[in-house]
Amino acid sequence: MAEPVTRPVFFISDGTGITAETLGNSLLTQFAGRYSKHRYPFVSDVTEAHKVIERVSRDATEIDPIVFLTVMDDSVRQSLDALPGIVIDLVQGGLGTLETALGQKATRRHGQAHGISDAETYRDRMAAVEFALEHDDGQSLRVLGLSDVILVGPSRCGKTPTSMYLAIHHGIRAANYPLLDEEFEAQQLPESLVAHTDKLFCLVSSPMHLHQVREERRPGSPYASLDQCRFEISAAKRLCAAHSIPTLDTSTRSIEEIATVLLGFLHRLNSRSNHVPKQ
């Protein structure tokens, strides 16, 4: 039986490409398939547009590519009409609808989506990033009570990237703490976390997926063995169930999906404590 063809996907933007990549990936999660993904940021003039068209045309030989666009400038977008494949303009339709509804023309300045338009929000997010870095992998317990959420679980289940994503995109102060063999064997939480059980959220994976991830980091090691991964995942689930800690399997989820689940958890947590959740 022939292997399924991998379809190329391109995220093209006149800015960083974060918006194109985030929205495009969110849409792709609804469809089965294999994709090779490429981001082309800062396509802000016609010359750069022509270069991108050449690259996309060169890479799109076996199957039509999917292209997600977030480009504001009309001349650049018109140049990109020559792109091959399935082109999805993530900006144009929405802007047209808003222009009609609001009775005004959009400024169409590129880079606005990630501009520092709200200094207080920006400072909050930078503070959250600093918090996440300080409290990554359990390396600091200082002011742990100021965290919005504390991610726990076996190592290599996505705690660090999720903490950083929550900080950068949502200003969430996320600490993360790896559970170790001693906690698994004793089926007890680390003493430093006992006072914060209401903020704990456990990330796990499937044993096979965790084994594959760890093999890339430490091939052939006891740490990466399938038996060790099975033990840690099973023990983590039992430990968290005993303490009523929510648990999420991250093995088939994108970081955006993981963050969405955690935002729902924080909303419920903040609702119980009468705090307004972050957006």
Side-chain angles (χ1 to χ4, degrees), residues 72-149:
M72 295 291 180
D73 186 270
D74 284 334
S75 61
V76 176
R77 200 170 56 253
Q78 287 168 9
S79 298
L80 292 170
D81 284 344
L83 282 164
I86 305 156
V87 180
I88 301 170
D89 192 327
L90 295 168
V91 170
Q92 185 60 16
L95 281 181
T97 301
L98 285 173
E99 285 177 337
T100 301
L102 300 177
Q104 59 178 289
K105 284 290 186 181
T107 62
R108 296 183 184 270
R109 291 195 299 269
H110 66 79
Q112 292 294 95
H114 301 285
I116 307 175
S117 57
D118 186 329
E120 185 177 354
T121 297
Y122 179 78
R123 286 194 298 270
D124 285 347
R125 292 187 180 189
M126 291 305 98
V129 169
E130 292 175 2
F131 187 93
L133 289 171
E134 179 182 346
H135 294 84
D136 181 43
D137 209 28
Q139 61 187 350
S140 173
L141 302 176
R142 190 180 74 86
V143 295
L144 194 60
L146 296 181
S147 61
D148 296 307
V149 64

Side-chain angles (χ1 to χ4, degrees), residues 190-211:
E191 187 177 343
S192 56
L193 299 183
V194 171
H196 309 292
T197 51
D198 60 325
K199 296 181 179 182
L200 300 184
F201 196 103
C202 182
L203 300 185
V204 296
S205 181
S206 70
M208 180 56 71
H209 184 264
L210 183 59
H211 165 64

Side-chain angles (χ1 to χ4, degrees), residues 21-22 25-30 37 158 161-162 165 248-262:
E21 194 166 16
T22 300
N25 278 323
S26 295
L27 292 173
L28 288 175
T29 60
Q30 305 301 312
K37 299 175 182 179
T162 301
Y165 184 93
L248 180 67
D249 186 333
T250 64
S251 55
T252 60
R253 296 178 185 264
S254 68
I255 195 165
E256 293 87 358
E257 291 176 295
I258 299 168
T260 299
V261 173
L262 281 162

Side-chain angles (χ1 to χ4, degrees), residues 145-184:
L146 296 181
S147 61
D148 296 307
V149 64
I150 303 170
L151 302 179
V152 297
S155 69
R156 311 306 290 178
C157 286
K159 297 185 299 299
T160 294
T162 301
S163 297
M164 292 305 300
Y165 184 93
L166 288 170
I168 292 169
H169 292 278
H170 300 283
I172 300 296
R173 295 184 301 275
N176 74 81
Y177 195 103
L179 297 176
L180 305 175
D181 278 3
E182 49 260 42
E183 283 100 42
F184 293 139

